[in-house]
Structures are given as structure tokens and as C-alpha cells.
Amino acid sequence: MKPNIVDVASHAGVSKATVSRVINHNPKVNPEIRERVLAAIQELGYQPSAIAQNLATSTTNTIGLILPDITNPYFPALARGIEDAAHRLGYGLFICNTDNDFATEQEYIQKMVHQRVVGIILISSVLKEKNVKDMQQLNIPFVLCDRLLVDSPFDSVTIDNYKAAYEAVLHFIGQGHKDIVHLAGPPNVHSAIERRQAYIDAMRAHQLPPVVANGSFNYDAGYHAMEELLQHMTPTAVFAANDLVALGAMSAIFKKGLRIPEDISVVGCDDILFAQMSYPKLSTISVPAYQIGEKAVELLIDRCKGVNDGETRNIILSHTFIQRES
Amino acid sequence: MKPNIVDVASHAGVSKATVSRVINHNPKVNPEIRERVLAAIQELGYQPSAIAQNLATSTTNTIGLILPDITNPYFPALARGIEDAAHRLGYGLFICNTDNDFATEQEYIQKMVHQRVVGIILISSVLKEKNVKDMQQLNIPFVLCDRLLVDSPFDSVTIDNYKAAYEAVLHFIGQGHKDIVHLAGPPNVHSAIERRQAYIDAMRAHQLPPVVANGSFNYDAGYHAMEELLQHMTPTAVFAANDLVALGAMSAIFKKGLRIPEDISVVGCDDILFAQMSYPKLSTISVPAYQIGEKAVELLIDRCKGVNDGETRNIILSHTFIQRES
DNA sequence: TTTTAGTGTGAAACCGGTTTCTCAGGAGTT
DNA sequence: AACTCCTGAGAAACCGGTTTCACACTAAAA
């Protein structure tokens, strides 16, 4: 049905080895014969099977991406950065959503190994130190985004969450705010922990009492935490663990009849697309998600090609504080 | 390095045919031998190569998804629906972003054919009737989301954009609005065209003068179109081509010092995640993106398995009008 | 003219599985 | 005891490419 390399070969009157050489741009084939082969390929509408090529070369041109949920507004930019970089380097992209479920994550890692992807970019908050050994036994390169394991043997790329959060709090303090609260993220997620700790440290360093509301990385959590908080006190500034939480908080603030930023200032983190579309536009810490994705692919491919056999690389990209209207 | 089927076979003292049978749960292998093979698999940490399996069976368990831009908030839900359904049915997902560029789209289609995906889910606004023949020659199943080709030979799944938009306008009219404007989407995108036409028809049917501002499917376009419009007139209702445009319009309305919905009501379309996070929460037409994705996969797999060799199926999923605060 | 080196091409092995086909051996019949 | 029928397992062909290796042929050197 679909023509294969032998069809092309006999159609052009050559051996399949020669056709293979033409396909792979091997320079040492007679130009005249090359033309004949190319013509045959054209006529038959032949396209080599990547499957067969992969089997023969014992490698694929595919990388795997495992992330919590593409529906979470932080991830599309990351995914896009990964995809663009991957395609630019000649790789395809396999994708999976784990919903932060450990079993699902392990299952998908297996699935990718099965598919023989050359490497995996893993964004996980459920991974634990004790899983590292198992993963290493898989003998496949991993790159972690938003590093969650300290001293892990895997390459990673992230931002300095502690520093970013510290600066954000400093920004508030610099403006004269004293009642600054923090709406924290999930207590088991690395980036959330760092941001929370930075907030506490910054407050203490200025003799201000830290007030943190525990929560999750989503809108509803932000809304409810803020609503709850407003029953007891009225802070002048809110530092949210991420933009979704900030947006939820803003909604609760409005609901209470307060103004932003006149009564309460709000700062989020991530700079998701909607940070610039909200009303008022959300001030936030811009996390270069797209670039993190690009960089992750670079690390991964280097690792696959053996460019970097040495020590693990933990890249830290720089964030930016973006002052908008909130 | 990685063990292969022969390693397992000799380790278990059987032939590779038997190992293959065990892997594929072929019922006719002696339980005792099966155990031996499974033990060998365990010990060696063997996992069959999907590549080799694919080559041997001349099929893959991978489907391709080609979409404009995962960064556009409409698509993550769609993609997620596709991914969930695909994995549920045992398929992996290959993904590509085209940025609505025709050449890129064609390139990726080729790439997917090269990868031997079993079928392609294509979300495109640049596809033209004249490309259909070429695509058919590829001899690979396609499913289109948001059908853009009339009478195409491809399966598709979409919503009734015309009806949805008509109802939205009717909703405004029912509330007594007379000055209703439409912020249209790109003039070459099928869904945008239908929504626009429905608006015009609905207005005319009620002897109201249609006012449409041309635009694009993004926030800035909505903002600028609305800003421009407000210099000439002050409508009481705005029907935007999608939520992004609606959000942009809302921002321009606020900027002008007007209130929503007291002065101007706004309705969008798609019900992206942020429609429920904006302030005020955006009223919109809910497009079941997740379900569209799921359904697309079903159609595709049916087609691949030959369950449906017959006529093309054009599924129309139902939308819902969601009244929120705008 | 013979030798040597170099070049382009084909035959065949190989990648790691699946599947057909063959056959040995045991159970059931007559 | 001889025959047929099953059953389970192995040998070998196959999927569609790549790559090694051998070799025929040409061109340059002696």
C-alpha cells in the first residue's frame, strides 16, 4: 500500500542501500543516480518510515514531556518553549498530563521508556528523593523543571524562587507597607515552600509579623483564603504564591467592597497570560516559562548527545518584577 | 545495554517467540513457562521496544495533534480532552503548534506521516478546500475540530457557532438592549465568520442596526476595537467573538470610566478558564472544548480501526449560555 | 603495461520484535 | 497397539530501514 524502500529501489533500478544513501544525503552517490532515485521517490510519493529508521539506528527523534496539567495557565508557555526548541533541533514531542498523581507519573515514565524517547522533561511536585534511584536505573536522561530535588543527579532549570519572593516582599516594604500577608501555595511543592520561606524571612528581617494563609495553587484557594482573612483583618498588601491565587484574592477583595490598589495592593507570581488581562492588571514576578522550556530541551539534548557527560547542570534563569496596576 | 527479547529468552531458557507470546498475553503458553519468562523479565528489567513492536505490527499507538498555539487559552482544555481520551484508549500523543502558518502546518503533517501516527487531529484555520486532495492522498485519517471545510471528506467535531451566537444576541435583545455591537474575529476563520453572520442576522431580524468592528481573536484586538468604538458611541451591550476579545473590551470600557454591567453588558464566547476569574466574571457562551477533544479522538480511532468506513461524521456538540456578572 | 589507490554500488547482516508454519509429544479413540 | 487430534513451543520469515563489507571499475602512479 504505502511504498517502501524496496519499491523505490526497484523503480529506480538500484539497490535499497543506495536509496538509503540518497535519503540520508550521503555525499558519495553519483549525481545522476541520485536524480533517478529522487525522481522515483517523487513518483511513488515515498516517505521513509521513521519507525524502521528508529529501529535500524537504535534511536528516536522524540522527547517526552510529563507535566501536571496543560490546563493550568502556567504550563502552556512552558510547553510551547519546549515544543519550539524541540522542533528546532529536529525532535518531536510526546506529551502527558499527570494531575500531580504519583502513580500516573510513574506510569507515564514507563510509557515513555517503552516508546524509547531519547529523554524526558519532567515537571513534578510529587517526586521524592527516594524515587531517584529507580529513575536512574531507567538509564534515560531526565531534566527537571522547577527543581524540586536538592542534589539530585538530574539536570534542572528553574528560577530562584526564594530570591524572587524576597524581592517582592521587599518591594512592598519599600513602599511603606506593614500589614503584608502571604497566601501560600501547597505545602509540598518546592517553589511554594521557597516563596513562603522567603516571605517569612523578609518580614522577620524587618521586624514585621508574618501572616500566612495556607492554600493551594488555584483561584478558588486564593479567593477563599482571602475572604477568610478579611474577616479578621484588613492588610494593605497581599503577596500571593502565584497569579491564580492572586486573581482569586483580588476577586475576594472586590467582593468585600475594597479597592485595588488603593486599599490593598496585590502581587502574584508567574506572570501568566491573564496577569496582564485582569482588571486591574496584576503586578507580578515574571517567571520566564518559555525560556525555561527552551533551556530544558537544550540540556536534555546535550545530555542525549553526550555533549555533557559530566556533572549535573542546574540552571537558574532570572526573573523580573513587573509592576502593573495592582 | 538495554536487554532485548533474546536476552530474556535465553535467560528463561525459551525461544523469543515464547517471550513474545507472554508479553502479548497469548493464552496458550504453559503457566509454568509463563512464570519463568515473567521472572526473567523482572530480573532483567526488560521492557519491549515499542519501535520494534510497531515495525513488526506495521502500526503505531500514537496519534498526532496539530493546533495553532497551545498558549491560546482556548486550546489547553481541548488538548487535555484529546490527551485524556487518547491515553484512555491506549494511544500516545504527538503535538505540534502551527501559529496558523500554512507552510508550518503542512510541514508538521508530513512529519506526522513520517512518524507513522495512526491519525491526525487537525485544528486549522488556514486549511483550504483545495488542500483536501493532497491530504487525502496521504491516506491517513484526519479529524477536524471546529470544522472549517464544508462538505469535506473528513470527520469533524464542532459546535453550532451560528446558533450559539444568535442566541447570545437574542439574550441581549430579550433584556431590552438596542445598541448592541459586535467585536468580530478574524475574517478568514470559520467560527468567527459564523458568529459574525449570526449577529448580523439576529439584529436585522429585530430591525436593529448591526455595528461590527473587525478584529482578531486576541485581547489587544478587543481592547483597541472597543476603545475606538467608544470614541464614536456608547453601546449598552457588546457581543465579542471570543472571551479574549471580550476581556480586552472590558478593559477598554473600564479605562473609559464606564461600569460593567451597569453601563455596558459584555458577552464573550468559549468560556476559557479566565472567564470565571475576571472581574466582573464574564458572561459567555460555553464551548465544550474538553468534550470536543474527547469526541475527536473517538472519531479518529473509529476511523483507524475501520469501525466507521462509511460516510464522514460531522459531530455537533451543544453549547451553553452562561450568565455571570458582565 | 602493471600496480596501487580510490570510488561508487550491491549483497547481506542487523535492529527487536511478531507471526506463520512446522513438528514433537501426550491424550483420547477404536 | 495403531491412529488421529490437540496443544504448546521453536525455527524462520518478515516488518523497513541502516550499515558493514566486499568488489568491480576507473584513474593515477610507477
Side-chain angles (χ1 to χ4, degrees):
Chain A
M1 117 114 271
K2 251 194 230 300
N4 64 19
I5 200 171
V6 178
D7 299 329
V8 175
S10 62
H11 194 272
V14 300
S15 76
K16 61 182 200 162
T18 298
V19 176
S20 174
R21 293 192 183 101
V22 170
I23 293 171
N24 295 295
H25 308 101
N26 185 319
K28 40 180 49 175
V29 323
N30 187 315
E32 187 189 331
I33 292 191
R34 173 192 308 285
E35 286 312 313
R36 244 176 38 222
V37 171
L38 288 175
I41 289 177
Q42 269 296 338
E43 266 180 69
L44 272 52
Y46 167 74
Q47 182 163 31
S49 158
I51 307 274
Q53 292 177 315
N54 290 339
L55 182 60
T57 56
S58 301
T59 181
T60 61
N61 35 359
T62 306
I63 69 183
L65 169 60
I66 300 181
L67 46 69
D69 182 11
I70 191 69
T71 268
N72 178 321
Y74 173 68
F75 294 115
L78 219 207
R80 188 67 208 268
I82 290 171
E83 208 245 270
D84 286 354
H87 281 295
R88 198 183 311 133
L89 294 168
Y91 290 80
L93 189 65
F94 244 114
I95 199 169
C96 288
N97 295 273
T98 63
D99 285 320
N100 276 319
D101 179 67
F102 182 75
T104 306
E105 190 172 301
Q106 293 297 311
E107 180 193 332
Y108 282 148
I109 290 178
Q110 286 302 324
K111 195 159 183 165
M112 299 229 157
V113 171
H114 181 208
Q115 290 293 336
R116 298 292 193 262
V117 298
V118 296
I120 297 175
I121 294 177
L122 178 61
I123 305 163
S124 169
S125 61
V126 290
L127 197 60
K128 296 290 178 299
E129 313 277 347
K130 62 185 164 68
N131 307 125
V132 169
K133 199 140 34 55
D134 289 343
M135 285 168 60
Q136 279 185 289
Q137 280 185 350
L138 261 26
N139 212 358
I140 186 175
F142 279 94
V143 169
L144 309 181
C145 289
D146 300 327
R147 176 183 44 156
L148 32 90
L149 300 177
V150 228
D151 292 331
S152 89
F154 304 120
D155 291 342
S156 71
V157 26
T158 181
I159 64 158
D160 188 336
N161 280 292
Y162 185 91
K163 188 167 158 222
Y166 204 102
E167 286 170 6
V169 179
L170 242 40
H171 167 83
F172 276 146
I173 294 178
Q175 288 186 329
H177 286 285
K178 295 207 175 333
D179 296 327
I180 309 166
V181 304
H182 177 51
L183 305 182
N188 57 340
V189 173
H190 187 261
S191 58
I193 295 171
E194 291 203 323
R195 290 170 196 174
R196 174 200 170 107
Q197 193 57 50
Y199 161 79
I200 293 177
D201 291 352
M203 292 294 278
R204 294 234 169 97
H206 293 79
Q207 285 81 42
L208 295 173
V211 177
V212 5
N214 289 312
S216 181
F217 265 161
N218 59 61
Y219 179 88
D220 286 341
Y223 181 87
H224 291 121
M226 194 69 215
E227 192 177 41
E228 162 86 11
L229 215 56
L230 287 173
Q231 291 180 357
H232 310 306
M233 61 181 289
T234 304
T236 63
V238 176
F239 171 49
N242 75 359
D243 290 345
L244 248 21
V245 171
L247 257 13
M250 280 171 55
S251 188
I253 292 170
F254 282 136
K255 193 81 160 200
K256 183 82 175 183
L258 299 167
R259 294 161 306 165
I260 300 171
E262 292 81 356
D263 299 319
I264 303 182
S265 290
V266 178
V267 163
C269 188
D270 284 354
D271 195 24
I272 59 176
L273 185 61
F274 282 87
Q276 42 185 308
M277 298 187 184
S278 65
Y279 183 82
K281 298 188 196 308
L282 180 64
S283 298
T284 191
I285 297 162
S286 174
V287 175
Y290 186 90
Q291 287 77 6
I292 289 179
E294 284 185 309
K295 197 69 197 175
V297 172
E298 282 174 38
L299 292 186
L300 191 65
I301 303 302
D302 279 358
R303 192 57 81 170
C304 294
K305 293 196 171 159
V307 174
N308 173 27
D309 282 334
E311 60 206 60
T312 71
R313 297 202 276 170
N314 297 299
I315 308 284
I316 296 184
L317 261 31
S318 59
H319 57 269
T320 328
F321 184 84
I322 298 189
Q323 172 78 57
R324 293 207 182 91
E325 306 165 355
S326 72
Chain B
M1 114 110 279
K2 251 193 229 301
N4 65 20
I5 199 170
V6 178
D7 300 328
V8 175
S10 61
H11 194 271
V14 299
S15 74
K16 60 182 201 162
T18 298
V19 176
S20 175
R21 292 192 183 102
V22 171
I23 293 172
N24 295 294
H25 306 102
N26 187 319
K28 40 180 48 174
V29 323
N30 188 312
E32 187 190 330
I33 291 192
R34 172 193 310 285
E35 286 312 315
R36 242 174 42 219
V37 171
L38 288 176
I41 289 178
Q42 270 295 338
E43 266 179 68
L44 273 52
Y46 168 74
Q47 182 161 33
S49 158
I51 308 273
Q53 291 178 315
N54 290 338
L55 182 60
T57 56
S58 302
T59 181
T60 62
N61 37 357
T62 306
I63 69 182
L65 168 60
I66 301 181
L67 47 69
D69 181 12
I70 190 69
T71 269
N72 178 321
Y74 173 68
F75 294 115
L78 219 206
R80 187 68 209 266
I82 290 172
E83 208 246 270
D84 286 354
H87 281 294
R88 197 183 313 133
L89 294 167
Y91 290 80
L93 189 64
F94 243 114
I95 199 169
C96 289
N97 294 275
T98 63
D99 284 320
N100 276 318
D101 179 68
F102 183 74
T104 306
E105 189 171 305
Q106 293 297 311
E107 180 194 331
Y108 282 148
I109 291 179
Q110 286 303 323
K111 193 157 185 166
M112 300 230 157
V113 171
H114 180 208
Q115 290 292 338
R116 298 294 192 265
V117 298
V118 297
I120 297 175
I121 295 177
L122 178 61
I123 305 163
S124 169
S125 62
V126 291
L127 197 62
K128 295 290 177 300
E129 312 277 347
K130 64 184 162 65
N131 308 124
V132 169
K133 200 140 33 53
D134 289 341
M135 284 168 58
Q136 279 185 289
Q137 281 186 350
L138 261 27
N139 213 359
I140 186 175
F142 280 94
V143 169
L144 309 180
C145 288
D146 299 327
R147 176 184 42 160
L148 32 89
L149 302 176
V150 227
D151 292 332
S152 90
F154 304 121
D155 290 342
S156 70
V157 26
T158 180
I159 64 157
D160 189 336
N161 282 290
Y162 185 91
K163 188 167 160 227
Y166 204 102
E167 287 170 6
V169 179
L170 242 40
H171 167 82
F172 277 146
I173 294 176
Q175 289 185 326
H177 287 285
K178 294 205 176 339
D179 296 326
I180 309 166
V181 302
H182 177 52
L183 304 182
N188 56 341
V189 173
H190 188 260
S191 58
I193 295 171
E194 291 201 325
R195 290 171 195 174
R196 173 198 169 109
Q197 192 58 50
Y199 161 79
I200 293 176
D201 291 353
M203 292 295 277
R204 294 234 171 97
H206 292 79
Q207 286 82 43
L208 295 173
V211 178
V212 5
N214 288 312
S216 181
F217 264 160
N218 59 61
Y219 179 87
D220 286 341
Y223 182 88
H224 291 122
M226 195 68 217
E227 191 177 42
E228 162 87 12
L229 214 57
L230 287 173
Q231 292 180 356
H232 311 306
M233 62 181 291
T234 303
T236 63
V238 176
F239 171 52
N242 75 0
D243 289 344
L244 248 21
V245 172
L247 258 13
M250 279 171 54
S251 187
I253 292 169
F254 281 135
K255 191 83 158 198
K256 181 83 175 183
L258 298 168
R259 293 161 306 165
I260 300 171
E262 292 81 357
D263 299 318
I264 303 182
S265 289
V266 178
V267 163
C269 188
D270 284 354
D271 195 22
I272 59 176
L273 185 60
F274 282 87
Q276 39 185 311
M277 299 189 185
S278 64
Y279 183 82
K281 299 190 197 303
L282 181 64
S283 297
T284 190
I285 297 162
S286 174
V287 175
Y290 186 90
Q291 287 78 3
I292 289 178
E294 284 185 308
K295 197 71 194 172
V297 172
E298 282 175 37
L299 292 186
L300 192 65
I301 303 302
D302 279 359
R303 192 59 80 170
C304 294
K305 293 198 171 157
V307 174
N308 172 24
D309 283 334
E311 60 206 61
T312 72
R313 296 201 276 170
N314 297 299
I315 308 285
I316 295 184
L317 262 30
S318 60
H319 57 270
T320 328
F321 183 85
I322 299 190
Q323 173 77 57
R324 287 203 267 251
E325 306 165 353
S326 72

